[in-house]
Amino acid sequence: MIPAQFDYVRPAALHEALQILVDRQGDAKILSGGYSLLPLLKLRLASPALLVDIRDIDGLDDIVETTNGLRIGGRATHRQIHENPVVIAGYPLLVDAAGGIGDPQVRNWGTIGGSCAHADPSSDWPAVLIATNASIVLHSVSGSRTVPARGFFLDTFQTAIEPTELLTEVIIPRAPRPSGAAYAKLERRAGDFATVGVAAQLSLGADGRISAAGIGLTAVAEAPFAATGAEAALVGHEPNEATFQAAGIAAAAESRPGTDSHGPIEYKRAMVKEMVVRALRSAATRAQAQR
Ligand SMILES: Cc1cc2nc3c(=O)[nH]c(=O)nc-3n(C[C@H](O)[C@H](O)[C@H](O)COP(=O)(O)OP(=O)(O)OC[C@H]3O[C@@H](n4cnc5c(N)ncnc54)[C@H](O)[C@@H]3O)c2cc1C
């Protein structure tokens, strides 16, 4: 189908884009990579009167490490994240996740901000941001606010973003050493959305036990979520197979998958357990390497 008619603007500055969102409240949509929005327009599931293309806004695709952690601009593409030297050196979880998103075309165009704002329940980034206790920075004409990833993804395609806000960056805190994190994605074919996606992060204490854990799950509930039962099953325990199995069982019990073309509920729960265990094994190996 052909999209309904719309106007198009390409502001050069953040404040211009934010003002447009206020002036055109309700009938303007931000255009980032367009890989989710354009299909919606073509299917006429969305018909905004104005698209606000943010590609010319300086600094929106920066990726920098600061004392607060890694700051990734909302307009950074999956490919920019995947190929960034700082990310490769210190954030292997992000490399895992970015490299498994769609195909090269999707990774060239799709952005982390677009992915989070769109909030497809099968997207990969939300699980990563939840597991790492990341924050999401939103700007509007009246200033900025920071929302924890754990409180950002409210429901299917629903987030904490207000219509006049723009997602400018995500901040991923640097985990204390020794820590390790990994992403495990089950997909039917390479490039598909996840059947199950698991982001896991572990920190180890001086006694070698797990001192902190983050588990984010995608595609197995109405929205990505923190598997807090699985996290509780990890903290205070040795990072061994028995602990990982217990966390996998807890995560499977917490998940709320539906039956669809990816498989029935029982299969998905079994796959949650398996993918949690796999992500934890990799995360623990990476953590041990930092000791
Ligand atoms: C064939 C295909 C395969 C894919 N496979 C995967 C996959 O395996 N895993 C995965 O996670 N994703 C996958 N995706 C999704 C893709 O990776 C993009 O992340 C996603 O399409 C949204 O990012 P975008 O930059 O294209 O956003 P857009 O399509 O431009 O925008 C999406 C929505 O977010 C809003 N928005 C965009 N940027 C902002 C911002 N900065 N602030 C506020 N609101 C904003 C827009 O207004 C719109 O409502 C796939 C997409 C396709 C088409």
Side-chain angles (χ1 to χ4, degrees), residues 29-40 54 60 74-75 78 100-103 106-107 109-118 122-126 161 165-168 185 187 191-194:
K29 271 267 173 208
I30 293 163
L31 174 67
S32 192
Y35 261 65
S36 290
L37 185 54
L38 295 187
L40 289 181
I54 57 174
L60 263 193
R75 186 70 184 73
H78 313 314
I101 295 177
D103 54 27
V106 173
R107 294 195 287 276
W109 281 92
T111 65
I112 192 166
S115 178
C116 293
H118 186 60
S122 301
S123 289
D124 296 299
W125 286 125
I161 303 183
E165 288 179 320
L166 197 147
L167 190 163
T168 49
K185 176 174 177 175
E187 52 193 350
D192 277 358
F193 275 94

Side-chain angles (χ1 to χ4, degrees), residues 65 81-93 95 174 177 290:
E65 198 171 33
I81 299 167
H82 189 238
E83 295 182 353
N84 184 276
V86 175
V87 175
I88 291 169
Y91 300 85
L93 164 61
V95 179
R174 181 173 266 287
R177 291 173 74 93
Q290 288 191 352

Side-chain angles (χ1 to χ4, degrees), residues 28-193:
K29 271 267 173 208
I30 293 163
L31 174 67
S32 192
Y35 261 65
S36 290
L37 185 54
L38 295 187
L40 289 181
L41 299 188
K42 286 184 174 174
L43 292 167
R44 299 213 178 191
L45 293 171
S47 305
L50 177 68
L51 293 189
V52 185
D53 189 337
I54 57 174
R55 79 176 70 183
D56 288 342
I57 300 176
D58 253 2
L60 263 193
D61 62 355
D62 287 353
I63 301 175
V64 284
E65 198 171 33
T66 67
T67 46
N68 290 341
L70 185 70
R71 305 179 82 106
I72 304 178
R75 186 70 184 73
T77 63
H78 313 314
R79 179 181 167 192
Q80 284 172 311
I81 299 167
H82 189 238
E83 295 182 353
N84 184 276
V86 175
V87 175
I88 291 169
Y91 300 85
L93 164 61
L94 276 64
V95 179
D96 291 348
I101 295 177
D103 54 27
Q105 250 181 314
V106 173
R107 294 195 287 276
N108 280 340
W109 281 92
T111 65
I112 192 166
S115 178
C116 293
H118 186 60
D120 185 304
S122 301
S123 289
D124 296 299
W125 286 125
V128 170
L129 300 187
I130 287 167
T132 54
N133 282 307
S135 310
I136 293 169
V137 182
L138 305 172
H139 272 80
S140 68
V141 286
S142 42
S144 69
R145 65 186 179 112
T146 301
V147 181
R150 289 183 180 229
F152 181 81
F153 302 99
L154 303 179
D155 207 335
T156 307
F157 302 117
Q158 278 182 39
T159 71
I161 303 183
E162 296 293 336
T164 53
E165 288 179 320
L166 197 147
L167 190 163
T168 49
E169 64 179 351
V170 302
I171 305 173
I172 298 175
R174 181 173 266 287
R177 291 173 74 93
S179 292
Y183 191 66
K185 176 174 177 175
L186 177 68
E187 52 193 350
R188 282 182 308 183
R189 297 166 307 184
D192 277 358
F193 275 94

